[in-house]
Amino acid sequence: MCHTDVHVWQDGFYLGEGKHFRYSERPGFTLPIIMGHETSGTVYSFGGDVDPGDVKVGDNVVVYPWVGCENCQACATGNANYCKGPLKYIGPVVDGGYSEYVSVPHPRYLVKVPEGLSMDVAAVLACGGLTAYNGVTTVQPTVEKLSKFRGQYLHVVYAGMCHTDVHVWQDGFYLGEGKHFRYSERPGFTLPIIMGHETSGTVYSFGGDADPGDVKVGDNVVVYPWVGCENCQACATGNANYCKGPLKYIGPVVDGGYSEYVSVPHPRYLVKVPEGLSMDVAAVLACGGLTAYNGVTTVQPTVEKLSKFRERCTLLIVGPGGLGLWAVKLAKHVLPQGTRVVCADVDCGIHAVVGLFGGGGTIPLPTFALQQKQVVGVHVGGLHQFRELLDLVAHKQIPAPPLEHHPLEHTWDVLQALQAGKVEGRAVFHMNKT
């Protein structure tokens, strides 16, 4: 029984604009009627002189109930679902299977149940299953066509959330001096958008003719989401973080990982998760971890230089949030042995700004020259740095900051908590978590 039986019982359904479909108005429909269009059983007998084909008395069969006029080209080619009528649907229009026996007009509507398929499952495939299959195969050519130029598909397992998602939700951030960065003004950005730029999962398929390298279908991978224009020298050398655009960042600009599947434009952006590294930790390394790693490796030459003539070099990390905690952990493994790592937080009126929160400030230039100070802007790292980071965390077994796991249905609540500073460590969505 399915909802079609409800429609028959209620004599149809609403079509919209004040119109109704009425079974009682269909040619051949009479009351009373025996409903039941999802029917399986054993062949009892054949009538007439028609060829039964490979079906014989006693066979287990399922009824194909969608019988058309039997006189048109659609019916003659086995496509009665395209018949214009009059229709003779078994169950909705003529007597069906809610009975000990059911009559079928031709043996071609009796389909043998394959070995290994139970009779009850075979019965329900005749309507709901068949409709779903027709839907999937209808979109199949389009999906196959799109996959050739829309890239690789990843079955998402984990998707992290960081403050970049808050920026996307708020359409940007303040740059200072009355200026704002707006995602809605970025080329290629359209609403609605699926957020999620920290994504790990299993490779579902490859599209196009690009060489997948060492990655194959079924592999556990993490997405490098910082996709640039793909036409400049920066992108060609794996340094899309220096690309001037137009940017195609997965999550902030194009659809990302808060979904069952995510599309990636090229296999090079799928990085295998090293053995010993969990999938949830791999996911959050794609933004916060990579940005912290880029920051630590950026100061590494300076620290190494100072360490040669100073007894001890100190690295101050301001803000023990998601990025700060990663920076503390990574610095201990990247910087020279003996480097002191100090982390500062907001206290006693000192306001520490970490991340793209915007604003401005003044710099006393003479002091910078006299004390040989430097100011360097650090964004996310390149693709080669991402591979280095994954191997480093896996090989050194560097523990991740505290991870909070949530089902995807809690996205809004987690986004609110993150904005309010109530997420301890990092928030991660588990696609199979309920």
Side-chain angles (χ1 to χ4, degrees):
M1 176 179 283
C2 80
H3 216 84
T4 299
D5 296 292
V6 177
H7 294 323
V8 175
W9 168 53
Q10 294 178 333
D11 191 22
F13 45 87
Y14 184 58
L15 295 172
E17 299 181 355
K19 299 178 181 180
H20 289 79
F21 174 94
R22 301 294 187 191
Y23 280 100
S24 58
E25 298 173 357
R26 305 297 296 180
F29 182 90
T30 58
L31 289 174
I33 187 173
I34 300 172
M35 296 192 299
H37 57 286
E38 298 180 333
T39 310
S40 65
T42 57
V43 179
Y44 180 74
S45 65
F46 292 105
D49 299 324
V50 295
D51 179 12
D54 64 341
V55 179
K56 61 184 182 296
V57 172
D59 278 350
N60 291 334
V61 296
V62 57
V63 174
Y64 178 81
W66 313 111
V67 180
C69 68
E70 299 191 277
N71 295 315
C72 67
Q73 184 66 17
C75 290
T77 55
N79 295 286
N81 49 313
Y82 288 100
C83 177
K84 299 298 184 181
L87 304 177
K88 306 172 186 176
Y89 289 174
I90 299 171
V93 179
V94 301
D95 285 343
Y98 292 172
S99 177
E100 187 176 1
Y101 296 92
V102 63
S103 176
V104 177
H106 194 282
R108 62 172 166 263
Y109 301 114
L110 299 176
V111 182
K112 292 178 71 171
V113 176
E115 186 177 350
L117 182 64
S118 64
M119 295 282 279
D120 52 353
V121 173
V124 297
L125 287 174
C127 182
L130 183 58
T131 302
Y133 180 72
N134 192 23
V136 171
T137 54
T138 296
V139 302
Q140 183 180 2
T142 302
V143 172
E144 290 176 346
K145 179 181 178 181
L146 289 174
S147 67
K148 292 180 180 179
F149 59 87
R150 291 195 65 177
Q152 334 315 307
Y153 284 90
L154 180 77
H155 187 198
V156 179
V157 178
Y158 288 101
M161 175 179 281
C162 81
H163 219 87
T164 299
D165 296 292
V166 177
H167 294 323
V168 175
W169 166 52
Q170 295 178 333
D171 191 23
F173 44 87
Y174 184 56
L175 294 171
E177 301 180 354
K179 299 179 181 180
H180 289 80
F181 175 94
R182 302 291 187 192
Y183 281 100
S184 58
E185 298 172 357
R186 305 297 296 181
F189 181 91
T190 58
L191 290 174
I193 187 172
I194 300 172
M195 297 194 298
H197 58 285
E198 299 182 334
T199 310
S200 66
T202 57
V203 178
Y204 180 75
S205 66
F206 292 105
D209 300 323
D211 180 10
D214 64 340
V215 178
K216 61 183 183 298
V217 171
D219 278 352
N220 291 335
V221 296
V222 57
V223 175
Y224 177 81
W226 312 112
V227 181
C229 68
E230 299 190 276
N231 295 313
C232 68
Q233 185 66 16
C235 290
T237 56
N239 295 286
N241 49 315
Y242 288 100
C243 176
K244 299 298 184 182
L247 304 176
K248 306 171 187 176
Y249 289 174
I250 300 171
V253 179
V254 301
D255 285 342
Y258 292 170
S259 178
E260 188 176 0
Y261 295 89
V262 63
S263 176
V264 178
H266 194 281
R268 62 173 164 264
Y269 302 114
L270 299 175
V271 183
K272 292 177 72 171
V273 177
E275 186 176 349
L277 184 62
S278 65
M279 295 282 279
D280 52 354
V281 173
V284 298
L285 286 173
C287 181
L290 182 57
T291 303
Y293 181 70
N294 192 21
V296 171
T297 54
T298 297
V299 302
Q300 183 181 2
T302 301
V303 173
E304 291 175 345
K305 177 181 178 181
L306 293 176
S307 297
K308 293 178 181 179
F309 52 84
R310 289 187 181 177
E311 183 177 348
R312 194 171 212 185
C313 187
T314 301
L315 175 69
L316 172 63
I317 297 172
V318 182
L323 272 69
L325 292 175
W326 269 122
V328 170
K329 295 174 182 293
L330 294 171
K332 295 178 179 179
H333 295 275
V334 173
L335 300 182
Q337 188 175 2
T339 302
R340 186 173 61 167
V341 179
V342 179
C343 190
D345 197 3
V346 179
D347 192 19
C348 301
I350 300 174
H351 186 74
V353 180
V354 180
L356 299 176
F357 288 84
T362 58
I363 298 175
L365 296 179
T367 304
F368 262 68
L370 292 172
Q371 298 182 6
Q372 300 185 61
K373 294 181 178 179
Q374 301 179 50
V375 176
V376 179
V378 176
H379 194 208
V380 294
L383 181 56
H384 60 288
Q385 289 178 299
F386 189 40
R387 296 181 187 276
E388 291 173 3
L389 175 61
L390 291 169
D391 289 337
L392 175 66
V393 175
H395 179 68
K396 298 292 186 179
Q397 287 295 292
I398 301 175
L403 299 182
E404 295 182 0
H405 291 90
H406 303 273
L408 189 62
E409 291 77 11
H410 293 178
T411 303
W412 176 249
D413 295 333
V414 178
L415 192 63
Q416 298 291 308
L418 183 60
Q419 183 196 24
K422 296 180 180 179
V423 174
E424 295 185 5
R426 300 301 313 279
V428 182
F429 296 107
H430 188 185
M431 296 306 162
N432 296 323
K433 187 178 179 68
T434 57

